[in-house]
Amino acid sequence: MSRGGARREPVQECATLDVPLDYSEPYGQRISLALNRIRGTVSRDGNHLGVLLVNPGGPGGEGLSLAGYVAARLPADVAARFDVVGFAPRGVAPSKPALSCVDPARFFAAPRPDNVPRDDADEQVLAGRARQYAEGCGNRWAWFLPYLTTENNARDMDAIRAALGEDRISYLGYSYGTYLGAVYATLFPRRVRRLVLDSVVDPDVDWYDANIAQDRSFDRRHRDFLAWLAGHDDVYRLGASQAAVSYAWYALRARLRDRPAGGVVGPSELDDVFSNGAYTDRLWPYLAAAFSAYVHRGDPSILVRLFHSEAEIDAEKENAYAVYLGVECRDTPWPRSWARWHDDTRRLHAEAPFMAWPNAVYNAPCAFWPEKGGTPVKVGTAQLPPILLIQAQRDAATPYEGALRMRRRFPTARLVTSGGGNHGVSLAGNACVDRYLAAYLRDATAPPQRRGARGTGASCPADPSPRAAPVTVSSAPGAAAHESAVRR
């Protein structure tokens, strides 16, 4: 997620912390977590507020880079009062062990098989790859996978708190990090000073059902992008209506199956690149330029550059993917019958074709995972100080209804709603949201609760719509241009 304009990156301290693999055996095998800290400048006997622990989501986001990002972008007076601490959750590099289940250069070599099968043979290829990935994880990490859960991640957070000598901690979590924060607050309510959950995961559904809900919200957000393209037909010439642009999009996708752009971007890689536009509309001008250049000039250069910078699966991303699956497949039960996946996905594809099959393929290793799903923590408690929820109305990855349900689970929660659909709202340029965040972190000031069916504590406008502009290969995002950890 691109985030601009900030103070100089602060000095970071780095450390490791050994924690139990299995908290039921605290003196048994241990694993190592990588941590970093950016110290506040206010003294401990002044107005210092202790630790602000941060998590970018995933599961599988490493969190260390987010600590520096948050410390640099909070208002100076707020950052001065906190020690901002990041951590790489269990299994995520550079914590040890760091999961890897396949050789990413071989297994994810582009172009991959089409995420959307045309027939049963295609579908069996996709299911076979999912089984192969799950077996790779089981063969390498059978000793570790049973303990790769959100609950254990939350217990790791409390171990970090204890190691830092803090009675209470504050927490800022994005996306899956909101669920992790909710589990922590449920297990350790008296250890919470401030709690901010941004882009809120629905606490009421299991991960399989959550992905089905995502299929619909991603499709809606993709249609927002197509409508934006239609509104700028004078620039991109892809159609003056959403329907016309949609036709051009799916025609491009079908063409790439037989003729991958630049020899690497087939339909599955196209899905991966353009799904990033559902997380942030700041990518829309780049995606639009890639789309237009290929359709009108047969020029794949921008599209290929975007694939390499935004979607190519290297060792770091494969590590994140392995941990993502490890946590989600273990947290809750998943259907073990491929017939169930087939029926649900085929039905969803008819109404939400942008993401139904790609999302099923992404999560399909859970159908074959070597560890069965468990029973998740039932989140919610009234034993908390005021907490702050932040949510965009048209968020694709974490639909708005989930924030409403999370608010009901935590009676002290107040919800700030922003317009638009960008995922990861705070510290991303929305001044209204950032004012509420700063006020809450500074002195626990939360917006008042309004009554009503969709009552919210406060509303903020959406970020301005991105400006349509020509994009060249050299101006397209490079590999370091986006903070990509705030995902899923």
Side-chain angles (χ1 to χ4, degrees):
M1 181 174 297
S2 178
R3 304 172 186 268
R7 302 188 303 276
R8 185 176 179 180
E9 291 289 335
V11 176
Q12 301 183 29
E13 302 171 327
C14 298
T16 59
L17 175 67
D18 288 347
V19 297
L21 172 67
D22 179 0
Y23 278 92
S24 70
E25 297 185 4
Y27 300 106
Q29 186 172 359
R30 301 179 78 80
I31 58 176
S32 178
L33 303 180
L35 313 176
N36 66 344
R37 175 172 62 188
I38 298 91
R39 287 184 181 270
T41 57
V42 171
S43 65
R44 286 276 170 170
D45 55 359
N47 292 316
H48 195 271
L49 291 171
V51 164
L52 175 63
L53 194 63
V54 299
N55 180 273
E62 51 86 6
L64 302 176
S65 58
L66 181 63
Y69 176 89
V70 168
R73 285 154 180 80
L74 284 172
D77 70 301
V78 177
R81 298 178 66 191
F82 285 99
D83 294 341
V84 182
V85 174
F87 69 107
R90 54 175 59 201
V92 179
S95 292
K96 296 179 180 179
L99 267 64
S100 175
C101 299
V102 296
D103 175 1
R106 296 181 61 185
F107 190 85
F108 294 107
R112 306 191 312 274
D114 190 349
N115 284 330
V116 181
R118 292 184 177 180
D119 52 33
D120 182 66
D122 284 354
E123 190 172 336
Q124 291 308 307
V125 168
L126 297 172
R129 284 174 56 83
R131 184 188 294 275
Q132 181 182 351
Y133 193 89
E135 289 175 349
C137 292
N139 290 339
R140 297 185 184 191
W141 301 106
W143 64 272
F144 187 77
L145 295 182
Y147 310 103
L148 189 55
T149 65
T150 298
E151 180 176 347
N152 279 332
N153 281 326
R155 296 189 183 280
D156 290 344
M157 287 170 53
D158 203 56
I160 294 170
R161 175 203 58 76
L164 292 170
E166 299 285 342
D167 291 330
R168 295 186 296 162
I169 58 171
S170 299
Y171 176 83
L172 168 61
Y174 293 90
S175 194
Y176 163 79
T178 67
Y179 179 66
L180 176 57
V183 171
Y184 180 81
T186 301
L187 296 176
F188 306 102
R190 292 180 175 82
R191 300 300 189 183
V192 174
R193 174 176 279 115
R194 310 271 198 274
L195 186 70
V196 183
L197 309 181
D198 185 328
S199 304
V200 183
V201 168
D202 190 335
D204 283 353
V205 296
D206 64 23
W207 291 128
Y208 181 79
D209 289 337
N211 281 287
I212 288 178
Q214 275 189 340
D215 294 343
R216 297 185 175 95
S217 56
F218 266 92
D219 200 80
R220 179 185 65 190
R221 190 66 175 146
H222 183 62
R223 293 196 302 272
D224 289 346
F225 167 63
L226 300 180
W228 179 85
L229 278 172
H232 296 287
D233 187 50
D234 57 326
V235 177
Y236 301 113
R237 297 182 298 118
L238 292 166
S241 68
Q242 179 185 307
V245 181
S246 180
Y247 181 86
W249 161 261
Y250 286 105
L252 168 64
R253 195 186 183 288
R255 178 184 180 186
L256 293 179
R257 180 178 173 111
D258 297 321
R259 289 175 286 177
V264 296
V265 180
S268 293
E269 290 71 29
L270 188 75
D271 297 337
D272 294 346
V273 170
F274 278 78
S275 66
N276 283 295
Y279 290 92
T280 172
D281 58 20
R282 295 173 184 85
L283 273 178
W284 288 5
Y286 302 103
L287 299 174
F291 188 0
S292 180
Y294 193 72
V295 167
H296 291 296
R297 303 193 303 274
D299 178 4
S301 55
I302 301 176
L303 185 56
V304 170
R305 181 174 172 84
L306 285 171
F307 165 68
H308 288 308
S309 68
E310 300 297 316
E312 189 171 21
I313 301 177
D314 57 13
E316 181 180 350
K317 289 184 178 178
E318 194 270 328
N319 167 237
Y321 181 53
V323 175
Y324 167 87
L325 290 171
V327 172
E328 295 217 347
C329 299
R330 183 74 177 105
D331 265 1
T332 64
W334 288 73
R336 292 289 176 154
S337 165
W338 186 254
R340 167 80 181 277
W341 289 71
H342 167 86
D343 291 345
D344 288 346
T345 307
R346 185 175 61 176
R347 183 178 65 256
L348 261 294
H349 182 75
E351 61 177 283
F354 176 67
M355 188 53 67
W357 273 108
N359 208 12
V361 170
Y362 190 86
N363 290 280
C366 289
F368 310 103
W369 204 247
E371 287 293 325
K372 291 184 178 180
T375 301
V377 175
K378 184 173 179 59
V379 301
T381 178
Q383 301 176 36
L384 290 174
I387 69 173
L388 186 66
L389 312 182
I390 300 171
Q391 182 69 35
Q393 287 181 316
R394 297 180 72 81
D395 191 324
T398 55
Y400 186 73
E401 290 72 20
L404 299 179
R405 282 190 273 270
M406 186 72 84
R407 188 188 59 186
R408 290 195 289 269
R409 293 287 190 93
F410 293 96
T412 63
R414 298 295 180 263
L415 173 62
V416 174
T417 300
S418 75
N422 286 341
H423 186 68
V425 186
S426 63
L427 304 180
N430 189 310
C432 173
V433 169
D434 288 349
R435 283 194 298 271
Y436 283 110
L437 173 67
Y440 173 73
L441 290 177
R442 189 179 289 118
D443 57 17
T445 299
Q449 185 69 53
R450 291 207 313 256
R451 296 181 180 274
R454 297 175 72 87
T456 181
S459 295
C460 288
D463 297 330
S465 182
R467 184 172 61 90
V471 174
T472 64
V473 175
S474 61
S475 65
H482 287 79
E483 173 58 62
S484 61
V486 182
R487 290 289 187 262
R488 298 192 75 85

